[in-house]
Amino acid sequence: MKKIQAVYGAPHGHWVGDGFPVRSLLSYNRLGAEHLSPFLLLDHAGPHYFEPSRHARGVGPHPHRGFETVTLVYQGALKHRDSAGHGGRIREGDVQWMTAGAGIVHEEYHAPDFRERGGFMEMVQLWVNLPARDKSAPPAYQSLLDDEIPRVDLPDNAGQLRVVAGNYRDQKGPANTFTAINVWDLRLVAGGDVHLEVPEGHTTLLVVLKGTVLVNGERCVRDESVVAFERQAETFHLEANNDAKLLLLSGEPIDEPVVGQGPFVMNHEAELHQAFADFQAGKFGEPNGA
């Protein structure tokens, strides 16, 4: 059985642009990159009700380099475009997997139809680090639609698991990843219990977005918390005290230095300075996707 290493609570929330009230449940700056690798950051936005509006809400053009962003939409809808010519909408259940790589500028707003009618917005954005060999990869975009993501019913009607990336039993997630990663979107019903297994040696993080779960029969964890497991062993046990919404993240650690500032995550200070210089020189371009 995997032992619990730590349980992290969320700091106070903050706004990203005018469209996303978030809590940063994970941050390599706060918790240490060596403990989270290959993951860097996880923001939980909402759930928050927005009144109907004609005003565009969201985050305007901003750059990234050296990692990937993974956006899961639970409620609402987003419109996205970037400087590599990609664009589109992300609706409930969809996942946007963007590789910033060598450098990209993108923007994210509430989709016009959602903005005009109003409603609840809830999403998660995860940052995944890239190893040094792939930090100069061309920018890319994977649009993972809800009906393309495999669903697995858990034993004894405990709930359901969506395989966004990696593998669960005989199901493989649609996301292409640079390193070995599992991203599982879980729903447990009240009283449901399940044993989950991940590769030994992986960094393993359980994100409790909503509900209360008993972990390994020893630690009760409430919403807006993250459980970090030790890397030894493979299995752990969850029991939901009420209906629960969870994310399970596991990944092979990247044993490399991490130096980051704002939207750039590199291996060395000189690379970080170069990222700022390249962006300021206009080398990342401007959003031009549909």
Side-chain angles (χ1 to χ4, degrees):
M1 188 79 72
K2 293 182 77 68
K3 294 182 179 179
I4 296 172
Q5 183 179 59
V7 177
Y8 304 120
H12 293 297
H14 63 280
W15 281 83
V16 176
D18 63 357
F20 308 107
V22 308
R23 289 188 176 186
S24 295
L25 305 188
L26 294 172
S27 170
Y28 71 100
N29 288 321
R30 178 166 59 96
L31 303 177
E34 68 276 14
H35 302 304
L36 303 181
S37 180
F39 309 108
L40 294 166
L41 176 146
L42 187 138
D43 282 346
H44 182 206
H48 183 85
Y49 183 79
F50 288 90
E51 296 288 346
S53 175
R54 296 181 180 179
H55 167 68
R57 295 189 180 109
V59 183
H62 58 284
H64 292 298
R65 174 180 277 183
F67 61 98
E68 301 184 286
T69 67
V70 182
T71 304
L72 297 84
V73 174
Y74 293 109
Q75 299 182 76
L78 302 179
K79 185 176 181 181
H80 153 86
R81 66 174 187 159
D82 63 37
S83 55
H86 309 118
R89 293 175 181 244
I90 319 166
R91 301 189 182 278
E92 291 185 13
D94 296 345
V95 177
Q96 172 206 82
W97 198 296
M98 187 187 77
T99 302
I104 201 167
V105 174
H106 76 149
E107 60 185 30
E108 297 163 297
Y109 289 98
H110 294 187
D113 54 346
F114 171 78
R115 183 191 73 224
E116 291 169 5
R117 72 172 181 269
F120 279 96
M121 173 69 74
E122 183 183 11
M123 53 171 276
V124 161
Q125 185 168 97
L126 169 70
W127 289 13
V128 180
N129 200 12
L130 289 171
R133 66 176 184 269
D134 297 314
K135 285 189 179 291
S136 59
Y141 173 80
Q142 300 175 67
S143 179
L144 312 177
L145 301 181
D146 184 31
D147 60 6
E148 299 171 343
I149 299 173
R151 286 171 164 78
V152 180
D153 291 328
L154 298 173
D156 301 320
N157 299 313
Q160 191 175 74
L161 182 153
R162 293 199 312 158
V163 190
V164 176
N167 298 276
Y168 179 75
R169 296 187 179 176
D170 59 348
Q171 295 294 324
K172 178 177 173 56
N176 295 314
T177 64
F178 286 84
T179 58
I181 291 173
N182 290 305
V183 177
W184 300 340
D185 178 22
L186 284 137
R187 300 291 190 282
L188 295 180
V189 301
D193 69 87
V194 63
H195 285 85
L196 296 176
E197 181 177 325
V198 297
E200 184 163 7
H202 270 208
T203 297
T204 304
L205 305 167
L206 177 73
V207 183
V208 181
L209 299 172
K210 181 181 178 181
T212 307
V213 294
L214 182 64
V215 182
N216 288 346
E218 64 180 72
R219 185 70 180 266
C220 191
V221 183
R222 302 184 184 281
D223 51 2
E224 306 288 0
S225 300
V226 178
V227 181
F229 293 92
E230 293 185 357
R231 289 172 178 156
Q232 294 78 20
E234 298 177 337
T235 63
F236 56 95
H237 178 249
L238 304 176
E239 182 177 352
N241 293 348
N242 42 43
D243 291 350
K245 177 163 57 180
L246 317 166
L247 270 180
L248 190 284
L249 311 173
S250 86
E252 183 178 1
I254 300 172
D255 187 18
E256 295 175 353
V258 174
V259 177
Q261 184 174 340
F264 305 131
V265 180
M266 307 303 294
N267 297 107
H268 304 288
E269 287 285 349
E271 296 169 330
L272 197 61
H273 297 322
Q274 188 63 54
F276 278 101
D278 289 347
F279 170 63
Q280 291 166 357
K283 295 183 178 181
F284 288 14
E286 294 293 337
N288 56 22

